[in-house]
Amino acid sequence: MGRCKQISYMQLSGLFLVLCLACLALHQFAGVERAPDYEQKLKASDLTASAFLAVQKERSILGIALEPELDPNLTGLIGSAYSGITTTLGHLEAKRSTTNPNFSAIFIHYFNELGLRPGERVALNLSGSFPCVNIAAICAAEVMELEPVIMSSVGASSYGANIAEFTYPEMESMLYESGIIKHKSIYVSMGGAEDMGFEMDTEERAAVLARLRSKGMNMLINWNLKSNLDFRMSEYKRGGPIACCINVGGNLLSFAGSETMLDLNGGIVTALPKAAGKDGLIQQFVNEQTPVVHMLNMRELCVRYGLPIDPSPVPKPGEGGLYYETYYNRFIAGAVLILAFVVLFIFGRQDKSHVKLCAQDLCKREDESCC
């Protein structure tokens, strides 16, 4: 048996060496070129960067101090650890990762993968937890000349847009009024418990609600979740069919409290497990065969698309794996494939003799006449 093992190890070592050399050759002669949608991605990221800068300036005008220990890049896009409108715990690293304007390139990638065309309507369900991703989604949709139909909520997790004096709907409204973006929320809810912000500080909740109303925002106040959901679906579709739904964060109406939300990886969702149920914006859109772009696990999305996690400094537009594609020399790839088949064929023929040899060795050791 020792002799059989020696032959097997030699085969495996030889095959491993051939494959290593093949991979090295493919890598050595690989090339890099711009992605077909490079210009769209760069334009969207430029627009997003301008929007981020405008939010930072507005925060300064409002006299809301930065917190360098939480926001070392001084972006002005990171909220507090806790405030009166905080709904859930959030992850600081994830929030800082989204201050990268190149997140908009992810949306361009998804929109093109789905084959969306100018003029098509897309439904945006945005919470205050990831204001940077919200803004990136709107900028990407506008660069592709889509028609965003937006509904957003005030409540935010830790480090999101949870500063009561400068909520996400107010960031969005400021960007709209300044002409940086062309669309804003048609309805705003408080978010959080029952989509009414019941877990928020009572006084701060009332102050925010009054202020947003004074600014002319359409506040969606409906304690009945079924009625709330039906109203939202009706308003999304009022102007025509929806080609895609974009969900950022995890407000109550997105999955109606289903834990499926946490189990899904970010990206395009076209099917859900039965455990997801039927109550929720995402479930309804998927059941109607409308694709959903779900953005929640930001760390995983960064890894998937070559964006840095918790970057310092903040990357400039055009930086990241989404802007370029690697291509391989077809001649070398074909030669490597043929070589692999040849090696496997030779080793396969040798295996037959090795099996016979192993059988003979076994018989001799056991003093049997089966050979």
Side-chain angles (χ1 to χ4, degrees):
M1 288 295 290
R3 190 175 174 186
C4 295
K5 286 184 179 179
Q6 184 180 12
I7 295 174
S8 177
Y9 291 154
M10 289 177 59
Q11 288 182 339
L12 291 175
S13 298
L15 181 57
F16 178 74
L17 178 61
V18 169
L19 292 177
C20 286
L21 292 174
C23 291
L24 180 63
L26 281 173
H27 179 74
Q28 185 68 27
F29 292 96
V32 177
E33 60 185 6
R34 288 182 174 181
D37 51 5
Y38 175 89
E39 296 298 335
Q40 285 180 321
K41 290 174 178 174
L42 184 59
K43 187 176 180 180
S45 296
D46 279 331
L47 181 59
T48 303
S50 298
F52 286 176
L53 181 59
V55 171
Q56 180 195 49
K57 290 181 177 179
E58 184 68 12
R59 175 168 171 162
S60 177
I61 292 171
L62 293 172
I64 303 171
L66 299 177
E67 299 183 64
E69 67 279 10
L70 301 180
D71 186 14
N73 292 323
L74 304 179
T75 65
L77 297 162
I78 301 299
S80 301
Y82 181 79
S83 72
I85 63 169
T86 303
T87 54
T88 54
L89 296 176
H91 199 284
L92 180 56
E93 179 187 77
K95 303 300 171 73
R96 292 201 296 227
S97 296
T98 64
T99 60
N100 182 350
N102 294 293
F103 253 81
S104 59
I106 297 179
F107 287 105
I108 296 291
H109 172 74
Y110 288 146
F111 294 162
N112 281 323
E113 187 172 332
L114 291 170
L116 301 185
R117 295 290 178 261
E120 289 191 302
R121 304 174 77 251
V122 291
L124 273 66
N125 178 50
L126 311 176
S127 79
S129 295
F130 291 97
C132 297
V133 184
N134 295 348
I135 294 168
I138 296 172
C139 290
E142 292 189 347
V143 163
M144 287 195 62
E145 300 180 12
L146 302 173
E147 188 67 26
V149 185
I150 310 169
M151 296 189 201
S152 60
S153 54
V154 172
S157 57
S158 308
Y159 315 112
N162 66 342
I163 297 175
E165 296 78 19
F166 193 30
T167 63
Y168 170 71
E170 290 172 295
M171 295 179 187
E172 184 187 273
S173 180
M174 179 275 297
L175 294 173
Y176 176 82
E177 296 298 332
S178 63
I180 295 176
I181 59 176
K182 301 175 182 177
H183 299 80
K184 64 177 181 177
S185 296
I186 59 173
Y187 286 98
V188 175
S189 72
M190 290 305 296
E194 301 302 311
D195 200 33
M196 297 282 285
F198 286 147
E199 77 274 52
M200 298 178 183
D201 178 86
T202 304
E203 292 185 2
E204 286 200 89
R205 175 183 176 277
V208 169
L209 181 57
R211 189 174 70 246
L212 297 186
R213 278 176 167 163
S214 71
K215 293 182 177 182
M217 296 188 190
N218 294 322
M219 300 305 297
L220 179 51
I221 306 298
N222 192 332
W223 63 269
N224 185 290
L225 291 181
K226 178 63 167 59
S227 175
N228 188 335
L229 178 63
D230 291 344
F231 179 81
R232 286 170 180 264
M233 292 297 292
S234 175
E235 290 300 303
Y236 276 133
K237 300 175 183 178
R238 181 179 293 277
I242 296 295
C244 173
C245 171
I246 296 94
N247 180 69
V248 179
N251 65 15
L252 180 62
L253 271 296
S254 58
F255 281 90
S258 170
E259 294 185 0
T260 300
M261 174 185 66
L262 302 176
D263 297 332
L264 289 176
N265 287 326
I268 296 174
V269 178
T270 57
L272 292 168
K274 292 182 179 180
K278 298 181 179 180
D279 300 324
L281 287 170
I282 308 308
Q283 292 96 317
Q284 289 207 20
F285 276 117
V286 170
N287 289 339
E288 294 175 0
Q289 298 185 333
T290 300
V292 173
V293 172
H294 177 52
M295 302 289 285
L296 188 60
N297 189 340
M298 302 306 169
R299 181 185 179 89
E300 192 274 334
L301 286 170
C302 286
V303 172
R304 190 190 309 175
Y305 295 113
L307 300 180
I309 297 170
D310 200 359
S312 184
V314 173
K316 297 178 180 179
E319 296 180 2
L322 280 163
Y323 293 91
Y324 297 92
E325 294 181 351
T326 301
Y327 65 92
Y328 297 95
N329 186 296
R330 293 183 179 180
F331 175 78
I332 295 177
V336 168
L337 186 62
I338 293 173
L339 178 61
F341 276 119
V342 170
V343 171
L344 288 172
F345 176 75
I346 293 175
F347 284 168
R349 292 193 63 181
Q350 290 178 346
D351 277 345
K352 295 179 180 179
S353 60
H354 293 161
V355 169
K356 183 176 180 180
L357 179 61
C358 288
Q360 291 174 344
D361 288 345
L362 182 61
C363 290
K364 289 178 180 178
R365 281 195 304 275
E366 296 183 357
D367 194 25
E368 294 178 0
S369 60
C370 63
C371 300

